[in-house]
Amino acid sequence: MEKKSSSLVYKGWCIFSKDLKSELRNRYALNALLMFAVTTLVAVSFAVGQFGLGENLLAALFWIVIFFSALSGLAQTFIKEEETKTASTLKLVASASSIYLGKLTFNIALLLALEVVIVPLFFLLSNVGGANLLLFFAVLILASLGLAAATTLIAAMVSKAAVKGALFAALSFPILLPLLVTAIQGTELSFKGEAFMSGFSELKVLLSYLVVMLVASLMLFDFVWSE
Amino acid sequence: MPDFWKFFLLLLMSAVIIAAWSMEPPQNQLGEVSRLFYFHIPVAWVTALAYFVAMSHSVLYLRRRELLYDVKASSAAELGTLFCVLATITGSIFAKMTWGAFWNWDPRQTSILILLLIYGAYLALRSAVREPGRKAALSSVYCIFAFPAAVFLIFVTPRAYQSLHPASSVIDTSGRIQMPAPILVTFLASLICFTLIFIWVYTLQTAIGRNRLSERKL
């Protein structure tokens, strides 16, 4: 049993490093993702920057930028497998769960790479002063993990459909809304500089969302992948 | 559905409509608009019921791989969309008359909108996949996957945030029903009527779907 689970994690890791290598070679997803995010952020900041927005609007704008940038890039990892017709080979070498874990890790890495660029830029452009950074990063990381967990399964579904781009956003939005609402509220609290414990209920909701989505994805991924 | 039930439905629905418009409004301080109560809640109930039927048939499809379950799931989802639109519209009218605006992002309004979006995304996904087996599998997975999100929105969010939606007027916090007997009877009759309408149209729709399936096999 232990050996089986270790090989599951090991194979997941192999798929992650394979994706990472091919991504670093051509930067297919990352460049598009970054440019999308930077363009959106600059456009938003240019349009509303001089008005000195309140914390609630800033938190909403921040998550809108993250959400749409994520949606522009996170489906690529599965679409690429379908386009280059490598999906069947992947099916032969690894089980569905390990593929899900590998792709999930890759999407998390992609999202964190995006945030490394976006977060400092956002703080630079929006003049948020006196934010509670500990709460901010706790919300950011938990919400990013939840975002990746929920969208990876949808990305796999979208890669099997005929129209991909618009469908990904349409399918993801209703499922991600509880996450987005909670993340926006937690981020707003952190921008206001509230104490860490005041955002504790938001963190609990984000954590439970992450666990629920992870379990549901692991249960359902096999059905999508075997199609 | 046997003919007996159709006549029963005709009589009961007529009685509900007459009672809903001839009795005192169920909540006097809200006035005439509170008559919507007899129609809004049953429609919202059918919306949730239809979603549950769609979700459980999606599970059955993934287990047994028979397209008939997919027909049942998608018929329930299509009907659910219709009832969801009706619930949203009746709710907005109520909101306009009591809170002053058709839409004000009350948690209840948000959750019904998300249910509508889930149904819409489900139907969009179905039209985006051509091959029937794949269409059935992907839409079943989506229907099941959206379920936790719907549970979060319907049960967690409205309790975490303040809502103007009248809930305590129907069932108070201790779980007891606080309604005078004639209002309660009319309400329950209306609930039965809308559920019967759902079952009726649902059996018709699945019959059509079953015929299409057997046509394709020929």
Side-chain angles (χ1 to χ4, degrees):
Chain A
M1 188 65 208
E2 200 176 47
K3 192 167 178 240
K4 200 182 165 196
S5 78
S6 74
S7 87
L8 179 83
V9 172
Y10 174 71
K11 279 190 171 163
W13 179 256
C14 289
I15 286 160
F16 167 66
S17 50
K18 168 211 110 145
D19 275 340
L20 196 66
K21 260 181 213 154
S22 86
E23 179 61 40
L24 289 177
R25 268 182 209 147
N26 53 24
R27 296 199 194 84
Y28 186 48
L30 192 64
N31 279 353
L33 201 68
L34 276 181
M35 277 319 292
F36 190 97
V38 171
T39 314
T40 324
L41 189 61
V42 168
V44 164
S45 161
F46 179 74
V48 298
Q50 68 261 46
F51 297 121
L53 294 179
E55 283 87 0
N56 51 351
L57 285 178
L58 283 175
L61 287 176
F62 176 74
W63 278 102
I64 288 172
V65 172
I66 298 277
F67 173 70
F68 281 102
S69 320
L71 288 190
S72 74
L74 292 190
Q76 291 304 334
T77 163
F78 283 105
I79 293 175
K80 203 173 66 190
E81 303 284 358
E82 294 291 326
E83 276 174 358
T84 54
K85 312 239 186 296
T86 47
S88 346
T89 322
L90 211 54
K91 258 175 222 164
L92 288 177
V93 295
S95 70
S97 309
S98 57
I99 290 169
Y100 176 75
L101 287 179
K103 297 286 186 190
L104 174 67
T105 321
F106 178 71
N107 273 350
I108 291 172
L110 208 58
L111 206 54
L112 292 183
L114 170 84
E115 282 160 3
V116 165
V117 179
I118 287 299
V119 170
L121 211 57
F122 181 82
F123 275 95
L124 208 70
L125 289 171
S126 65
N127 303 318
V128 183
N132 182 343
L133 286 178
L134 185 65
L135 180 61
F136 175 78
F137 282 111
V139 169
L140 182 70
I141 287 172
L142 271 182
S144 306
L145 294 179
L147 185 75
T151 46
T152 303
L153 182 81
I154 300 171
M157 291 168 66
V158 165
S159 71
K160 311 273 178 184
V163 274
K164 296 179 173 78
L167 199 62
F168 190 40
L171 294 184
S172 302
F173 181 67
I175 290 178
L176 285 178
L177 200 92
L179 174 101
L180 283 177
V181 169
T182 323
I184 288 171
Q185 280 186 331
T187 310
E188 186 190 333
L189 287 176
S190 75
F191 282 171
K192 281 181 180 158
E194 304 265 347
F196 186 78
M197 287 315 279
S198 68
F200 196 62
S201 63
E202 271 80 11
L203 292 177
K204 271 194 292 192
V205 173
L206 287 177
L207 185 67
S208 53
Y209 181 90
L210 169 65
V211 171
V212 168
M213 284 305 164
L214 208 58
V215 171
S217 299
L218 277 171
M219 278 165 61
L220 291 168
F221 184 75
D222 193 22
F223 296 110
V224 178
W225 186 241
S226 59
E227 265 317 306
Chain B
M1 203 151 100
D3 283 345
F4 163 73
W5 282 106
K6 293 175 195 165
F7 284 114
F8 176 70
L9 180 62
L10 174 73
L11 291 177
L12 195 63
M13 195 73 192
S14 319
V16 165
I17 291 171
I18 291 167
W21 260 278
S22 60
M23 289 196 307
E24 290 266 294
Q27 278 200 314
N28 274 321
Q29 67 267 39
L30 290 178
E32 297 294 324
V33 73
S34 64
R35 292 184 199 279
L36 266 177
F37 158 80
Y38 293 120
F39 303 101
H40 172 68
I41 297 174
V43 165
W45 144 253
V46 172
T47 308
L49 177 71
Y51 185 63
F52 188 73
V53 171
M55 204 274 295
S56 45
H57 281 107
S58 298
V59 174
L60 282 175
Y61 175 78
L62 288 181
R63 286 203 154 180
R64 305 202 185 139
R65 297 277 168 176
E66 282 171 38
L67 278 176
L68 186 61
Y69 290 116
D70 180 56
V71 166
K72 286 184 176 173
S74 62
S75 317
E78 281 165 20
L79 266 181
T81 320
L82 178 69
F83 278 93
C84 197
V85 170
L86 287 177
T88 315
I89 293 173
T90 48
S92 302
I93 295 171
F94 186 80
K96 175 74 181 167
M97 302 306 285
T98 53
W99 310 334
F102 284 113
W103 201 263
N104 31 28
W105 291 112
D106 188 74
R108 288 283 167 188
Q109 288 185 319
T110 314
S111 59
I112 197 98
L113 179 74
I114 295 309
L115 213 52
L116 201 58
L117 284 178
I118 290 175
Y119 279 132
Y122 175 85
L123 296 176
L125 176 65
R126 291 189 69 84
S127 56
V129 188
R130 256 179 229 106
E131 201 260 311
R134 175 177 279 194
K135 175 193 280 191
L138 290 184
S139 53
S140 299
V141 167
Y142 186 73
C143 198
I144 300 166
F145 196 55
F147 190 69
V151 168
F152 260 94
L153 281 160
I154 294 171
F155 295 105
V156 181
T157 338
R159 277 160 188 75
Y161 308 109
Q162 281 193 330
S163 171
L164 291 170
H165 189 276
S168 52
S169 56
V170 182
I171 299 168
D172 71 1
T173 41
S174 57
R176 273 170 310 187
I177 297 174
Q178 302 275 352
M179 271 189 279
I183 293 176
L184 183 65
V185 168
T186 315
F187 170 67
L188 290 179
S190 175
L191 213 56
I192 293 168
C193 280
F194 277 98
T195 313
L196 281 178
I197 290 177
F198 170 72
I199 294 170
W200 186 5
V201 184
Y202 181 60
T203 45
L204 285 178
Q205 265 202 317
T206 45
I208 295 170
R210 192 181 285 135
N211 284 345
R212 283 212 189 109
L213 271 186
S214 47
E215 260 173 39
R216 209 183 287 150
K217 274 179 196 152
L218 290 174

